[in-house]
Amino acid sequence: MNTWHIIATDRIEEIVLESGEQTEAWFKQRAIEISRLCPQAVIVVRDWDESDRWAYENGIEVDL
């Protein structure tokens, strides 16, 4: 497994909320859950290469 990161951002600052080795699907689902709880932030899933893969706002996928 690879290391994934869940990051909260307001497009100026970033805060790492979680990092770890889980499946891609687990991190996507976790990011959706967090985005529902933190509507004021964009929640980003970043992969092991530091590339942003998905972003969620209010539980809905948004463009990066």
Side-chain angles (χ1 to χ4, degrees):
M1 277 191 243
N2 296 308
T3 300
W4 293 86
H5 312 280
I6 296 178
I7 296 153
T9 182
D10 61 4
R11 306 216 190 248
I12 296 171
E13 294 185 65
E14 293 184 347
I15 299 171
V16 176
L17 301 176
E18 289 190 37
S19 289
E21 292 186 7
Q22 286 283 353
T23 65
E24 178 180 317
W26 187 90
F27 267 91
K28 282 179 74 173
Q29 185 59 42
R30 182 74 175 129
I32 291 168
E33 293 169 9
I34 292 171
S35 75
R36 288 183 183 134
L37 297 172
C38 303
Q40 68 279 12
V42 175
I43 307 301
V44 176
V45 178
R46 189 171 284 165
D47 68 14
W48 59 93
D49 285 335
E50 298 294 317
S51 298
D52 293 345
R53 298 288 296 271
W54 303 280
Y56 300 95
E57 199 167 8
N58 293 319
I60 300 169
E61 189 168 356
V62 295
D63 292 332
L64 295 171

